[in-house]
Amino acid sequence: MDQKELKKGLQNILDGNKEWMDLVKNDTTGRFEQLAHGQHPEILWIGCADSRVPANELTGRRPGEVFVHRNIANMCIHADMNMLSVLDYAVTVLQVKHIIVAGHYGCGGVTAALSREQFGIIDNWLCHIKDVYRLHAQELNSIKDEKEKINRLVELNVKEQVLNLCSTSIVQNAWQVRKNLAIHGMVIDITTGELIDLNTTYTSKDGLIKGKSEQILSFR
């Protein structure tokens, strides 16, 4: 890509911003004026950094309604201070009511974790997905179709990340003082846009069994 193409790409970004500014200026609902004074989202979305899975569009929510954290393969790692900081602010300050861990079929991070290739610094991140694979190796190794295996690991990874999230002191402490916080595991089918509920929802620490992602609580 030469300098001319780079300049054109930047101009497209700025032109898109002007279109957005016109939308804000011509809005008569008052929602953008309200957003200027603060945010009150009820949802924290922890999703993949993939450009095809935007949280607001997938949930049909407007600006200001979804607080978002995204990384490669929607991981919830206890040593990740970025994720933990977002989680703490969302739960403690914003008082969100729903946390959605959202994976997506065909995830590049999960696909890479299943391969034997080296990709660079991201290999250190992919080790966490490989850990999920080891937990479910027997089931995954029985799946012969590669696409089905990847998509099943996507689902299992979401369930394990939900458990990781539930075991954080942030969520555990929140559950001690309020009953209106639910953690959900979901997967996106990019071909249809469907957000699939994996029936992995927790609303308290009751029923959590270490290492047992099959133990589920139904959310009401």
Side-chain angles (χ1 to χ4, degrees):
M1 182 179 290
D2 58 24
Q3 291 297 315
K4 185 177 180 180
E5 289 176 323
L6 286 171
K7 186 175 181 180
K8 182 179 179 181
L10 174 59
Q11 189 58 52
N12 287 338
I13 294 171
L14 295 175
D15 289 344
N17 176 248
K18 289 179 181 178
E19 292 179 6
W20 175 254
M21 288 173 63
D22 288 338
L23 176 65
V24 173
K25 181 179 178 181
N26 296 322
D27 178 74
T28 59
T29 65
R31 60 179 171 140
F32 292 109
E33 183 180 354
Q34 182 180 5
L35 287 176
H37 299 290
Q39 59 175 328
H40 304 284
E42 291 193 353
I43 300 169
L44 167 60
W45 175 280
I46 300 178
C48 184
D50 193 298
S51 62
R52 300 168 294 175
V53 286
N56 283 70
E57 284 84 349
L58 282 163
T59 55
R61 300 287 175 153
R62 300 183 299 180
E65 295 182 340
V66 185
F67 199 62
V68 178
H69 174 77
R70 296 169 70 176
N71 60 47
I72 301 297
N74 45 270
M75 303 299 288
C76 301
I77 300 169
H78 292 150
D80 182 359
M81 292 305 297
N82 188 356
M83 186 279 295
L84 291 174
S85 297
V86 171
L87 177 65
D88 188 45
Y89 187 78
V91 172
T92 307
V93 179
L94 297 177
Q95 296 278 302
V96 297
K97 296 179 181 177
H98 300 275
I99 302 176
I100 298 173
V101 179
H104 66 94
Y105 292 134
C107 178
V110 172
T111 302
L114 273 176
S115 77
R116 296 181 181 273
E117 297 181 45
Q118 289 189 351
F119 299 93
I121 193 171
I122 193 176
D123 291 332
N124 299 281
W125 187 261
L126 298 180
C127 283
H128 299 289
I129 307 175
K130 292 178 184 291
D131 288 340
V132 177
Y133 172 82
R134 281 194 291 270
L135 282 172
H136 303 277
Q138 184 174 359
E139 176 187 351
L140 291 166
N141 289 338
S142 69
I143 302 173
K144 303 306 179 184
D145 183 85
E146 191 66 17
K147 182 178 179 181
E148 289 182 13
K149 180 183 292 188
I150 291 169
N151 288 343
R152 181 54 180 157
L153 182 52
V154 166
E155 295 174 345
L156 293 171
N157 183 53
V158 167
K159 292 186 177 186
E160 291 299 332
Q161 302 317 311
V162 167
L163 285 175
N164 285 347
L165 203 62
C166 290
S167 65
T168 63
S169 59
I170 298 165
V171 171
Q172 291 280 311
N173 290 339
W175 276 338
Q176 288 184 357
V177 296
R178 62 185 177 107
K179 305 297 183 182
N180 62 341
L181 176 63
I183 320 294
H184 313 275
M186 300 185 182
V187 171
I188 303 152
D189 186 338
I190 294 178
T191 59
T192 64
E194 181 181 6
L195 187 59
I196 302 166
D197 184 2
L198 293 179
N199 295 317
T200 304
T201 290
Y202 295 88
T203 58
S204 75
K205 61 182 180 180
D206 298 333
L208 280 173
I209 298 178
K210 188 176 182 180
K212 296 283 188 179
S213 58
E214 296 82 3
Q215 186 68 23
I216 309 169
L217 292 178
S218 296
F219 177 66
R220 294 291 183 267

